[in-house]
Amino acid sequence: MGIHGLNSNQFAEMAKAALADEVQKGAIGKATDLIRDRRGEAVEQLDDWDDLRERARAIKAHTLAKLDHYLMHFVSNAEKRGVVVHWAEDADQACKIIADLIDEVCGDPNAPADSDDLLARPIVKAKSMVTEEIGLNHLLEGRGLRPVETDLGEWIQQLAGEPPSHIIVPAIHKTQQQIAELFAEQVGSDASASAEELTAIARRILRKEFADAAVGISGVNFAIAETGSFLVLENEGNIRLTTSLPQTHIAVMGIEKLLPRLSDLDVFLRLLPRSGTGQQLTTYQSIITGLTSKVHGELNGGGEGPAAVHVVMVDHGRSDILSDDLRRSSLQCIRCGACLNVCPVYKLIGGHAYGSVYPGPIGAVLTPQIAGVEEARPLPFASSLCGACKDVCPVKIDLPDLLLDLRKEAQEKGGSKIEKLGFGGWAWMMNGPWRYGLSIKLSRMIYPLGKRLSPFKKWGEGRELPIPAKKSFREQWKKRS
Amino acid sequence: MEKTVMNSEEKTGNSAQPDSSRDRILQNVCRQLSGVEVPPLPEEESRRLPQPADVNLLAAEFQSKAEGVSVVFFDDVHSATKGLQRVAVSNGADLPIAIDNVELFEGWGDREGLLACDAGLTTAQIGIAESGTMALIGDVEKHRLVSLVPPIHVALLKRENIVGTMSEALSMLHQDGLPSSLITFITGPSRTADIELQLVLGVHGPRELRVVLI
């Protein structure tokens, strides 16, 4: 059960390549510093930031510990308002449900009827990490459908044929010049276009796609159990268009996205934009509760909103990590990306090197849990454990602790034999005064070879091995007495 | 592995033999959570601004916060629509039925017509002072496309409907237990910073947001 099309086990090679890319390093360094500073300023405006984080953590912790209850509550309320709810155990099933829904709207691709016209129509997509996680675009394209990303950053990434490299700013690793060249190549615009001109080009091209689309696919930021509502938040307006213009809206959400009450949104709307972009509030939040037509008593509300709203609840390994208190806390994540912007590892290598849809500290925690530790063995080790991520996390996830826990699992589940033997030997050596003394003597002999011996060679890159003293303290002490 | 996708309306209740994805997911959630201690849910809280809720103070705070995110204020709807040719209107009861030299167009029913409009005119039902945000309620007015598709959005907001905080707005929206099918919070014009974090207004939605306080 991997995450589509990516390989986290090649982390070392990909990180090395990323480190050599000076342009990318410059773009990511500049952008993450800027968001980090903006976040800092936005947080300082509030005098109760830590109370707010604690409250958010407590709400999420409670909800996850009673997830079955809140899931049932949400689903029954959403269904009452005319939403059709679907359940997907894994990525393949989620993709199949969505593709089948699209077929229902656009007609069966195998049918010889005059459905060609409909099938050529775009499927407009608003930025959604869970659809990246399940590899939706790949599957839809395989079925001859045309998913179109409409968030500007996601669209840039789609034109480039790359996955997003940051949770909030998908094209963070690209310079304006690179994006202008990409547009020139793909849509024939001027290769020296400004950010403003590039944005206008995107608006013009995507407006047409919105007008033609029969299906819109979005994610969900928060789902409210007591009302059956869900909230999506954005700056651009593409989510509003995606959820308003096409006749069918499909919202895809991980089962962990629930909040008990509508009033709980207040705390999360104070935390998420500040943590993500340093804004007090993003430009738009849409709270969608079922169908407009159910309220107005008319189909499609005279052009207002879709005629059908579907919610696809995706498990994809989430329910399996509910039993352990520490592991469960990683599901508190609200995808703000703050931990990426402060992570010394992410800032140098960017998102793609992780080989995972979710990069940075939270990716190094989520990916091994969702895809399995075997699929992402290097990721828990891709951290200096400095703790900056934990300090900025708006829902107080203990990321360093989770990384250590996953390192332990990675070692238990088949770490290398030589490594195990080495550490076994080390433990034995350290477990008695005579053996310890011997180890010091040996280290003096081995030291000159150390950097050349294969297990130490890799470790010793970029590091200075400690030089053993000519006479150890113990030996000097012995001589004195 | 072949899996059948059940329509959720067809499957309800807990069968001993889990036979749908819904049952399997819920049963696994229950199984994994059995024996897990449930920490308490924090009490609901109503957050208010520290200063007293004076209409003029709230309006001033609203205006200053909204101007901070590029909203432009006008004294009346005539000056807000001056120079515009075709303006789409939503179906709100409080909207003007005529504006000098402006062709008003019932925009919510006609997408093609809407695309040709210079601006969209709606009311906003609630203002939130602390962030300069407006809440538009779908059941009151079909604002969905009129406030989004044209390049300019003109919004009318009554001063008396400005509250202090998002917390107050959410509790008003939930008074009868059933929120409207669509609630849209709007704070400034559409924006993006996806290219080297450079701020550009009007990416997918309106590039200008004009507000008239009445």
Side-chain angles (χ1 to χ4, degrees):
Chain A
M1 190 173 60
I3 289 181
H4 173 78
L6 298 164
N7 190 346
S8 300
N9 282 332
Q10 287 168 3
F11 175 79
E13 298 89 80
M14 292 188 292
K16 206 167 193 177
L19 282 172
D21 186 341
E22 293 297 330
V23 177
Q24 172 174 296
K25 261 198 315 207
I28 296 172
K30 193 174 130 199
T32 50
D33 281 353
L34 193 58
I35 313 177
R36 184 199 58 199
D37 294 348
R38 284 181 188 166
R39 176 199 165 275
E41 285 163 27
V43 165
E44 291 214 335
Q45 288 168 1
L46 299 180
D47 47 21
D48 58 347
W49 183 252
D50 280 325
D51 298 342
L52 210 57
R53 290 170 71 212
E54 177 50 31
R55 187 174 167 82
R57 187 207 59 77
I59 292 171
K60 280 279 186 181
H62 166 85
T63 313
L64 289 167
K66 275 183 81 168
L67 189 59
D68 47 338
H69 166 80
Y70 287 115
L71 279 169
M72 290 305 293
H73 210 169
F74 168 73
V75 166
S76 85
N77 284 324
E79 284 173 347
K80 267 184 220 152
R81 298 293 292 263
V83 172
V84 184
V85 179
H86 309 261
W87 298 79
E89 292 171 69
D90 54 33
D92 291 346
Q93 194 184 5
C95 287
K96 186 175 181 304
I97 290 168
I98 297 162
D100 288 348
L101 284 171
I102 294 169
D103 283 349
E104 246 173 68
V105 179
C106 298
D108 183 355
N110 302 320
D114 52 351
S115 55
D116 290 0
D117 193 35
L118 275 169
L119 276 174
R121 287 169 72 176
I123 314 292
V124 284
K125 279 191 70 207
K127 184 168 157 15
S128 147
M129 291 308 292
V130 72
T131 62
E132 298 285 342
E133 180 190 319
I134 61 175
L136 181 62
N137 287 3
H138 182 76
L139 179 113
L140 295 183
E141 281 160 8
R143 285 205 180 193
L145 297 166
R146 196 161 64 82
V148 177
E149 294 292 346
T150 60
D151 172 86
L152 178 58
E154 288 278 343
W155 192 60
I156 292 168
Q157 289 309 98
Q158 194 179 27
L159 287 180
E162 294 171 12
S165 74
H166 188 284
I167 295 175
I168 300 290
V169 194
I172 195 168
H173 60 296
K174 288 195 190 303
T175 62
Q176 180 196 320
Q177 183 57 38
Q178 287 173 328
I179 296 168
E181 282 162 17
L182 175 71
F183 275 33
E185 193 186 298
Q186 296 282 330
V187 299
S189 58
D190 185 355
S192 61
S194 67
E196 197 134 332
E197 286 161 342
L198 293 167
T199 304
I201 293 163
R203 177 185 171 106
R204 181 167 46 76
I205 293 175
L206 291 171
R207 268 293 163 105
K208 170 116 180 54
E209 305 283 25
F210 278 120
D212 292 345
V215 178
I217 299 175
S218 78
V220 166
N221 290 102
F222 303 102
I224 311 299
E226 71 173 348
T227 59
S229 314
F230 59 88
L231 180 139
V232 278
L233 115 185
E234 59 169 329
N235 279 311
E236 296 187 0
N238 65 307
I239 303 186
R240 290 182 65 198
L241 288 167
T242 300
T243 58
S244 295
L245 285 173
Q247 66 187 89
T248 298
H249 170 203
I250 304 172
V252 190
M253 62 177 269
I255 56 170
E256 82 283 17
K257 290 280 174 189
L258 289 164
L259 295 176
R261 305 163 298 207
L262 195 70
S263 62
D264 294 326
L265 284 174
D266 181 49
V267 62
F268 288 93
L269 287 178
R270 296 178 84 201
L271 286 167
L272 177 53
R274 285 182 169 88
S275 300
T277 55
Q279 288 172 286
Q280 186 180 351
L281 203 57
T282 58
T283 304
Y284 303 120
Q285 294 82 35
S286 306
I287 302 179
I288 297 171
T289 313
L291 290 174
T292 315
S293 54
K294 288 273 163 168
V295 176
H296 290 290
E298 55 189 335
L299 190 67
N300 208 5
E304 278 286 285
V309 177
H310 297 266
V311 171
V312 182
M313 316 280 292
V314 180
D315 184 341
H316 196 210
R318 287 163 172 79
S319 61
D320 289 335
I321 55 175
L322 285 169
S323 62
D324 179 78
D325 287 347
L326 179 64
R327 297 283 178 100
R328 186 171 65 250
S329 71
S330 55
L331 296 177
Q332 287 164 204
C333 176
I334 55 174
R335 310 285 191 262
C336 70
C339 60
L340 277 53
N341 302 327
V342 297
C343 176
V345 177
Y346 177 89
K347 287 169 89 79
L348 283 179
I349 62 172
H352 291 153
Y354 289 81
S356 139
V357 167
Y358 304 103
I362 190 64
V365 159
L366 287 178
T367 308
Q369 294 189 84
I370 292 173
V373 159
E374 306 75 18
E375 300 288 328
R377 181 176 291 282
L379 294 195
F381 299 91
S383 164
S384 63
L385 300 178
C386 72
C389 48
K390 180 183 172 182
D391 289 346
V392 296
C393 178
V395 287
K396 295 175 89 168
I397 299 172
D398 194 333
L399 289 153
D401 237 25
L402 276 156
L403 288 167
L404 283 172
D405 193 48
L406 287 159
R407 286 182 185 187
K408 189 162 164 265
E409 189 189 332
Q411 286 313 101
E412 282 165 3
K413 284 190 181 160
S416 90
K417 287 230 169 73
I418 294 177
E419 208 170 40
K420 271 186 186 163
L421 207 67
F423 278 104
W426 177 267
W428 181 81
M429 281 296 245
M430 296 294 118
N431 249 327
W434 178 83
R435 280 171 270 168
Y436 175 76
L438 180 68
S439 77
I440 298 295
K441 287 200 179 90
L442 277 173
S443 72
R444 252 177 244 142
M445 284 155 61
I446 290 174
Y447 172 73
L449 297 168
K451 281 201 168 179
R452 282 181 216 113
L453 287 175
S454 71
F456 297 106
K457 198 176 160 197
K458 207 164 169 191
W459 186 82
E461 271 173 30
R463 278 190 179 93
E464 282 302 321
L465 286 172
I467 304 170
K470 292 227 163 63
K471 279 231 180 298
S472 76
F473 177 75
R474 286 160 54 92
E475 285 161 344
Q476 290 177 40
W477 186 260
K478 223 172 178 177
K479 225 175 181 181
R480 272 179 65 127
S481 53
Chain B
M1 190 167 36
E2 186 63 38
K3 286 194 179 101
T4 35
V5 181
M6 295 283 182
N7 191 321
S8 50
E9 281 149 313
E10 290 163 18
K11 292 302 298 178
T12 43
N14 303 323
S15 50
Q17 199 71 357
D19 59 355
S20 74
S21 295
R22 166 190 156 128
D23 291 346
R24 275 193 294 270
I25 291 171
L26 286 171
Q27 287 193 6
N28 195 36
V29 170
C30 286
R31 192 167 50 237
Q32 300 286 341
L33 286 175
S34 71
V36 164
E37 199 185 320
V38 180
L41 176 64
E43 298 255 324
E44 241 170 315
E45 66 175 14
S46 172
R47 193 170 55 81
R48 287 171 178 279
L49 290 182
Q51 65 266 37
D54 172 85
V55 173
N56 290 325
L57 279 179
L58 284 173
E61 177 70 6
F62 174 85
Q63 180 159 351
S64 120
K65 282 288 155 62
E67 281 171 345
V69 287
S70 311
V71 174
V72 184
F73 282 79
F74 288 84
D75 291 335
D76 54 57
V77 73
H78 294 278
S79 51
T81 53
K82 202 174 173 194
L84 302 176
Q85 314 250 300
R86 235 165 106 84
V87 173
V89 286
S90 57
N91 64 338
D94 292 338
L95 287 168
I97 39 172
I99 307 172
D100 294 341
N101 302 323
V102 173
E103 181 194 347
L104 292 182
F105 171 78
E106 287 208 344
W108 49 272
D110 177 352
R111 290 183 188 186
E112 294 299 312
L114 190 59
L115 281 169
C117 287
D118 304 320
L121 178 63
T122 71
T123 62
Q125 282 69 50
I126 303 173
I128 303 171
E130 66 173 351
S131 53
T133 302
M134 294 181 294
L136 279 62
I137 303 174
D139 291 354
V140 177
E141 185 177 316
K142 291 179 181 174
H143 67 269
R144 202 164 193 153
L145 299 178
V146 173
S147 66
L148 178 62
V149 173
I152 299 170
H153 175 204
V154 183
L156 312 185
L157 172 65
K158 286 185 180 155
R159 279 190 177 80
E160 69 210 48
N161 290 342
I162 299 176
V163 298
T165 65
M166 174 60 83
S167 171
E168 290 167 81
L170 287 170
S171 75
M172 285 171 76
L173 292 165
H174 194 209
Q175 265 163 1
D176 55 359
L178 276 182
S180 161
S181 60
L182 176 70
I183 298 159
T184 311
F185 291 106
I186 300 178
T187 311
S190 154
R191 64 188 60 216
T192 185
D194 273 346
I195 301 173
E196 283 192 19
L197 296 183
Q198 301 175 64
L199 176 68
V200 180
L201 297 182
V203 53
H204 287 293
R207 110 182 93 69
E208 272 184 55
L209 176 55
R210 302 178 178 180
V211 173
V212 181
L213 293 180
I214 48 180

